Amino acid sequence: MQKMPISIFNDVIGPVMRGPSSSHTAASFRIAFAVRASVGDVSRVVCDFDTNGSLAATHKGQGTDMGFTCGLIGIDLTDEKVKDYEDLAKNTGIDVTFRILDYGAIHPNTYRIDAIGKSGTHHTWEGISTGGGMIEMQKFDGFSISLSGDFYELLITAQADKADKLRETSASVHPDFVLESENNGKILFEMKFSNKNDADSAVKIANKNGLTDVAYIPAFLPTLSRASCSVPFETASEMLAYNESKNLPLWELAAEYEAQRGGTSKEKVLQNATALLAVMEHALDEGLAGTEYKDRILGRQSDRIEKAERSGTLIPCSIVNGIIKSITAIMETKSAMGVIIAAPTAGSCGCLPGTLIGAARIMGKSREETAKALLAAGLIGIFFAKGATFAAEVGGCQMECGAGSGMAAAGLVQLMGGTAVQCADAASIALQNITGLVCDTVADRVEVPCLGKNIMAGTNAIAAANMALAGYDKVIPLDETIAAMLDIGHKLPAELRCTFGGLGKTPTALKIAEELKSR
């Protein structure tokens, strides 16, 4: 089966969530969703993190435990009750155990899971968080699989001598894809459906054919995949070549891409972007109104820019100061467990929306213009996700705040009516300025130095956008810049990729961590 093309609304702008980290909180929720679907109401789950991975050090403070437990319970991450996950698990009779073991996991965000349902159903899983809330479940009861949430899936297990019966069932239900796997005398058919009704019918037919070991995992991503899934381009260079005779603005190229990817219309894509923009605006306004939350390092600060401006103590620069205020407000909403959008990640959730909305409001741009800028930014995110990753655990914060900065730069150029070439150039310039940015969170909270890095990424986006609009030479094309960032990220030491290195191990950081434990 070919790898499905990246989607703006699956991989880049989203998910809508609460919690500190998309790689940790949202991804763990989705992993647990699949586990719960396979066993029904959960009785007991043991989840193992590898001692050499990032989750061993960060699973508690960055919301992995919270997201995973909520997924097992069946509470969506937009629910206000998510912060009470431990009590909710006890009240629903779910026993969740997290262990740190040395089992040789290859990926730093690996989950090894043993789950038992209240009906006695028992399954084992292994999956990874790939960045920005995206996941891949790679093993099920010892079989190799590839489940990411963009299909309705049936996992049908039988003795190897039932292979013909499995193939007969598969042929009668017409899945989009079928993956076969063998293990210890048994066979697994992983059937993928783009249509829910087809998947529901397949469950009934499988049971009718005597295949009773069936796990049904509903799709959970916004944009579903299908056998005929295709896109007009996948890299920045391909996009620019595609657009040579069309001369479309970047937002329209983004709408064309996502419409083809999702089997919908460009108008619907713009509507979806506008709906997501509304969530971002609410997060910004909620932060400006003031937030409170006990388990965080920083208190409210987003109101200080406006107060300082009125008193004349700031360096005059209305756009920059407005963006600083807006980014801070969204980050404070995130840290207070408010609803935000990972764009491209929760750790970098302030940069893109804070920059675009902050600038648009100051310049008097319409919501439609801002939504189009968001789409343009999303297309740059497609190229980044294709050529690199959004996981700081893999490549440092250059993959989160860095990616957000490149996306925001392109969005700003779109907001000013720039061309697709200028948008791509702005993104490349912004990314070149931010290569090698490490992820060194203080006290296992996505606040410090994350707030400053989001703000730096936003102001960097302004400079890069203006450089591109003025006709500066980007020198290195966008695709090559992204490839270089991935190479740099792989060469960063593990302790500077979302664990406790750098600022995270300073005496002050260690003191803050102890203080938080005592609260």
Side-chain angles (χ1 to χ4, degrees):
M1 173 187 155
Q2 75 266 29
K3 186 175 177 61
M4 292 293 102
I6 293 162
S7 159
I8 292 175
F9 299 133
N10 285 352
D11 303 79
V12 182
I13 303 176
V16 181
M17 58 173 289
R18 297 179 193 264
S21 169
S22 49
S23 292
H24 293 71
T25 320
S28 65
F29 174 86
R30 287 171 165 176
I31 287 171
F33 176 93
V35 171
R36 184 174 189 266
S38 71
V39 300
D41 289 340
V42 176
S43 174
R44 184 173 185 272
V45 171
V46 177
C47 181
D48 297 336
F49 304 128
D50 193 274
T51 187
N52 297 308
S54 67
L55 292 167
T58 61
H59 70 94
K60 181 72 173 178
Q62 294 196 21
T64 302
D65 297 7
M66 177 177 68
F68 189 80
T69 304
C70 288
L72 295 179
I73 298 170
I75 297 177
D76 192 78
L77 283 184
T78 58
D79 196 303
E80 291 185 0
K81 298 190 293 291
V82 296
K83 60 182 179 296
D84 302 319
Y85 69 96
E86 291 176 308
D87 290 337
L88 290 169
K90 291 177 183 177
N91 294 338
T92 52
I94 297 177
D95 179 12
V96 187
T97 302
F98 297 97
R99 303 187 303 186
I100 311 299
L101 303 174
D102 187 355
Y103 58 89
I106 297 173
H107 195 280
N109 288 343
T110 298
Y111 296 68
R112 193 176 69 177
I113 301 157
D114 190 293
I116 300 174
K118 291 180 179 177
S119 65
T121 306
H122 177 213
H123 291 297
T124 62
W125 289 85
E126 192 167 305
I128 61 172
S129 161
T130 59
M134 297 296 286
I135 69 164
E136 183 184 21
M137 304 303 283
Q138 298 178 327
K139 288 186 179 180
F140 174 75
D141 290 344
F143 294 95
S144 295
I145 64 168
S146 180
L147 186 155
S148 298
D150 53 342
F151 286 99
Y152 297 91
E153 302 226 6
L154 265 63
L155 303 172
I156 306 179
T157 308
Q159 295 295 325
D161 59 9
K162 292 282 186 71
D164 289 341
K165 181 66 69 174
L166 277 165
R167 293 189 182 98
E168 177 186 327
T169 300
S170 177
S172 66
V173 297
H174 307 297
D176 289 63
F177 295 101
V178 181
L179 305 179
E180 296 185 28
S181 182
E182 292 189 23
N183 184 45
N184 290 330
K186 288 189 173 183
I187 188 168
L188 172 77
F189 270 41
E190 179 184 1
M191 300 183 189
K192 297 176 180 284
F193 297 85
S194 55
N195 184 284
K196 182 180 184 300
N197 291 334
D198 291 344
D200 292 340
S201 298
V203 173
K204 295 176 183 178
I205 293 172
N207 290 333
K208 184 179 179 181
N209 288 344
L211 301 168
T212 56
D213 194 350
V214 181
Y216 176 31
I217 316 299
F220 50 79
L221 291 180
T223 300
L224 298 186
S225 296
R226 59 197 185 283
S228 59
C229 193
S230 64
V231 288
F233 45 78
E234 292 190 289
T235 65
S237 60
E238 289 174 0
M239 178 272 291
L240 293 173
Y242 175 85
N243 198 40
E244 277 184 0
S245 60
K246 299 176 182 291
N247 200 30
L248 297 173
L250 193 65
W251 81 266
E252 197 165 348
L253 289 163
E256 194 166 309
Y257 175 99
E258 191 66 13
Q260 189 167 326
R261 169 63 178 83
T264 185
S265 67
K266 292 193 287 186
E267 292 75 19
K268 181 61 176 177
V269 171
L270 183 56
Q271 288 173 13
N272 289 343
T274 304
L276 292 173
L277 175 63
V279 178
M280 293 173 169
E281 290 172 330
H282 185 270
L284 195 162
D285 292 334
E286 184 178 351
L288 291 177
T291 60
E292 297 290 337
Y293 192 66
K294 183 178 179 181
D295 188 21
R296 73 193 220 189
I297 299 170
L298 298 171
R300 184 187 183 190
Q301 299 181 113
S302 55
D303 59 331
R304 297 185 182 186
I305 289 290
E306 195 168 322
K307 291 176 181 176
E309 276 188 316
R310 288 198 299 267
S311 66
T313 56
L314 296 186
I315 298 168
C317 190
S318 60
I319 292 284
V320 170
N321 290 333
I323 285 174
I324 293 172
K325 176 179 69 174
S326 299
I327 290 174
T328 304
I330 293 173
M331 294 295 287
E332 288 177 357
T333 296
K334 174 196 66 66
S335 295
M337 291 295 292
V339 175
I340 53 94
I341 294 181
T345 70
S348 61
C349 70
C351 171
L352 175 60
T355 301
L356 293 186
I357 298 170
R361 287 180 174 181
I362 292 169
M363 293 190 292
K365 300 291 185 179
S366 68
R367 293 189 75 247
E368 182 176 333
E369 289 175 300
T370 310
K372 289 177 177 178
L374 184 61
L375 272 179
L379 188 55
I380 297 299
I382 288 289
F383 305 144
F384 199 96
K386 174 70 176 177
T389 175
F390 290 133
E393 300 86 351
V394 176
C397 197
Q398 60 169 358
M399 302 304 183
E400 297 199 17
C401 287
S405 187
M407 292 165 62
L412 288 172
V413 172
Q414 174 63 62
L415 202 60
M416 295 301 295
T419 66
V421 171
Q422 289 173 320
C423 288
D425 287 355
S428 185
I429 292 169
L431 294 174
Q432 290 173 42
N433 298 344
I434 218 162
T435 56
L437 187 66
V438 304
C439 181
D440 53 349
T441 55
V442 168
D444 199 17
R445 301 298 188 276
V446 188
E447 294 184 77
V448 182
C450 314
L451 172 60
K453 287 178 177 177
N454 272 261
I455 291 171
M456 178 271 294
T459 56
N460 176 54
I462 296 172
N466 275 342
M467 289 168 71
L469 287 166
Y472 276 53
D473 185 355
K474 88 290 187 183
V475 183
I476 309 299
L478 178 56
D479 292 331
E480 293 182 28
T481 300
I482 292 170
M485 293 179 75
L486 181 62
D487 178 60
I488 292 167
H490 286 161
K491 292 173 180 174
L492 288 175
E495 71 168 2
L496 298 179
R497 291 185 272 120
C498 199
T499 51
F500 286 121
L503 292 173
K505 66 178 182 182
T506 60
T508 298
L510 297 176
K511 182 179 178 182
I512 291 171
E514 288 302 314
E515 290 174 352
L516 285 170
K517 288 179 183 179
S518 66
R519 291 184 186 178

